[in-house]
């Protein structure tokens, strides 16, 4: 049987180090789950590169999510919108305008509906990242895509500047955030119900230094933090990739990275999500939007899907 100390070595500790559960940034509730979360897939690959979608609604698409057997996409083009499509058929269910929502209460100085990004769905709760001159907020709805009812705003507080939603731990009612800047070396912990900063910071080891922005992410079933990092005009010039980075939420150790093929510098990796689904006859788990910034035209997107050699450890 593998010991706790042997597992700790997989996330960068020496076998002589003493590590207490309370030292971890965000850990599962049981020792068995903590031990398992130190294991990780060895390899990821792009199973479905996605066809180029050239539609009016694809302009400025940001976040993606899959729930209720439907795809959800946020967009900042020609008004802020939430687009919903049937998963199996691709038929449009609804396109919701987000432009005329009630403002936060109490009022936030400088608030306006400005930029929607990452989207995370848990049951009938839909959480959308938003930022404006008032800082970062989370926009919350109730619904299944065919229905959508405004619930509330959650202002995200942080002494270091504007932060954006990366992932949510629904069991512990926690939000993981990052600063809205190029390159991310830390993430923060907030209360999901109040948006209060909980004075917990996780240093990423190593941090993200690819010259891009954190565009979204998710907390995986095995307690790993995935962060999509992208920016138009930025890519690995030798290979043509942008990346989804995969970290341990126990101590911030980089466990792996997922290369996302971007064939041109104008292509920009946006949000990503986890969904264990069959798509095009293939079992896939991680999904990401690659936005193609078309000069003088509306943007196209590719919806890419990925799998791993040990998907149960994602």
């Amino acid at each position: 049987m593998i010991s706790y100390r042997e597992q700790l070595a997989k996330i960068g500790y020496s076998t002589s180090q003493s590590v207490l559960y309370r030292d971890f940034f965000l850990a599962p509730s049981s020792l068995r789950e903590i031990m398992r979360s130190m294991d990780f897939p060895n390899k990821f690959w792009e199973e479905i590169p996605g066809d180029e979608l050239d539609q009016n609604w694809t302009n400025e698409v940001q976040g993606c999510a899959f729930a209720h057997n439907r795809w959800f996409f946020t967009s900042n083009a020609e008004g802020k919108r939430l687009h919903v499509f049937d998963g199996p058929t691709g038929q449009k269910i609804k396109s919701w305008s987000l432009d005329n929502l009630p403002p936060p209460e109490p009022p936030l100085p400088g608030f306006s509906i400005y930029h929607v990004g990452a989207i995370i769905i848990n049951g009938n709760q839909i959480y959308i990242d938003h930022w404006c001159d008032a800082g970062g907020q989370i926009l919350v709805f109730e619904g299944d895509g065919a229905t959508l009812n405004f619930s509330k705003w959650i202002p995200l507080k942080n002494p270091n500047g504007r932060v954006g939603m990366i992932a949510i731990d629904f069991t512990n009612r926690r939000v993981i955030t990052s600063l809205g800047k190029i390159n991310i070396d830390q993430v923060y912990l907030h209360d999901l119900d109040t948006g209060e900063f909980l004075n917990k910071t996780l240093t990423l080891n190593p941090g993200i230094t690819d010259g891009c922005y954190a565009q979204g992410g998710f907390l995986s079933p095995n307690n790993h933090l995935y962060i999509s990092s992208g920016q138009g005009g930025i890519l690995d010039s030798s290979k043509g990739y942008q990346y989804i980075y995969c970290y341990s939420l126990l101590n911030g150790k980089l466990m792996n990275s997922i290369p996302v093929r971007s064939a041109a510098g104008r292509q920009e990796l946006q949000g990503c999500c986890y969904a264990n689904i069959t798509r095009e006859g293939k079992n896939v788990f991680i999904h990401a939007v690659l936005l193609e910034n078309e000069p003088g035209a509306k943007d196209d997107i590719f919806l890419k899907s990925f799998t791993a050699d040990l998907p149960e450890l994602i």
Side-chain angles (χ1 to χ4, degrees):
M1 179 180 291
I2 297 177
S3 71
Y4 177 60
R5 290 184 182 276
E6 288 174 317
Q7 286 296 91
L8 285 172
K10 297 178 179 179
I11 57 172
Y13 295 104
S14 72
T15 55
S16 62
Q17 283 182 273
S18 177
V19 183
L20 302 176
Y21 303 158
R22 66 171 178 265
D23 295 335
F24 294 135
F25 176 72
L26 192 58
S29 57
S30 73
L31 175 59
R32 180 179 179 180
E33 291 176 307
I34 291 173
M35 293 269 285
R36 180 181 171 83
S37 76
M38 299 179 202
D39 287 320
F40 206 82
N42 299 306
K43 182 181 178 181
F44 294 89
W45 62 92
E46 187 176 289
E47 188 70 50
I48 301 175
D51 295 324
E52 185 172 4
L53 296 176
D54 180 11
Q55 303 288 336
N56 287 340
W57 70 267
T58 59
N59 199 29
E60 283 297 320
V61 162
Q62 303 289 310
C64 65
F66 188 88
H68 306 289
N69 210 26
R70 294 166 178 160
W71 287 105
F72 295 71
F73 301 94
T74 55
S75 170
N76 283 297
E78 299 173 0
K80 317 307 174 241
R81 303 197 74 86
L82 175 63
H83 303 288
V84 187
F85 295 85
D86 180 70
T89 67
Q91 181 179 355
K92 180 179 282 188
I93 302 295
K94 195 81 174 181
S95 180
W96 300 92
S97 173
L98 308 179
D99 282 331
N100 297 306
L101 299 171
E105 290 291 343
L108 296 176
F111 177 83
S112 65
I113 305 292
Y114 182 69
H115 185 281
V116 293
I119 175 172
I120 298 172
I121 301 176
N122 181 52
N124 274 8
Q125 300 293 308
I126 300 173
Y127 299 81
I128 298 175
D129 182 64
H130 176 267
W131 62 272
C132 63
D133 287 344
Q137 306 90 32
I138 298 175
L139 173 57
V140 186
F141 291 98
E142 292 185 0
D144 61 3
T147 61
L148 191 73
N149 298 298
F150 171 77
S151 178
K152 62 180 178 179
W153 292 94
I154 305 173
L156 294 170
K157 303 174 182 64
N158 194 293
N160 298 318
R162 178 185 69 79
V163 293
M165 175 183 75
I166 296 294
I168 298 178
D169 177 355
F170 291 101
T171 299
N172 295 301
R173 307 293 295 172
R174 299 291 183 257
V175 182
I176 302 159
T177 69
S178 70
L179 291 177
K181 65 173 188 176
I182 289 177
N183 297 329
I184 298 299
D185 57 5
Q186 292 181 324
V187 295
Y188 309 97
L189 201 62
H190 295 252
D191 185 282
L192 178 59
D193 299 303
T194 66
E196 291 291 337
F197 176 47
L198 298 176
N199 294 311
K200 291 194 72 172
T201 299
L202 177 68
T203 298
L204 304 180
N205 178 29
I208 298 173
T209 58
D210 56 12
C212 298
Y213 293 91
Q215 300 282 7
F218 60 88
L219 174 62
S220 76
N222 200 26
N223 202 55
H224 300 138
L225 176 64
Y226 291 71
I227 302 174
S228 59
S229 178
Q231 183 179 184
I234 301 290
L235 75 163
D236 180 332
S237 59
S238 64
K239 298 179 180 178
Y241 295 123
Q242 295 178 46
Y243 297 89
I244 300 171
Y245 296 91
C246 321
Y247 288 93
S248 168
L249 260 182
L250 301 179
N251 70 341
K253 175 69 175 176
L254 179 67
M255 306 292 281
N256 213 324
S257 61
I258 304 174
V260 181
R261 178 70 177 172
S262 51
R266 66 176 180 269
Q267 294 180 345
E268 178 180 1
L269 177 61
Q270 296 287 352
C272 63
C273 67
Y274 176 88
N276 180 357
I277 61 173
T278 298
R279 184 179 173 216
E280 298 181 10
K282 300 176 181 179
N283 196 202
V284 286
F285 301 87
I286 296 172
H287 317 274
V289 166
L290 186 73
L291 180 70
E292 183 159 276
N293 298 290
E294 294 280 12
K298 293 184 177 180
D299 303 329
D300 306 340
I301 67 167
F302 298 83
L303 179 60
K304 296 174 174 286
S305 295
F306 303 82
T307 190
D309 59 342
L310 297 169
E312 68 274 13
L313 298 181
I314 289 174

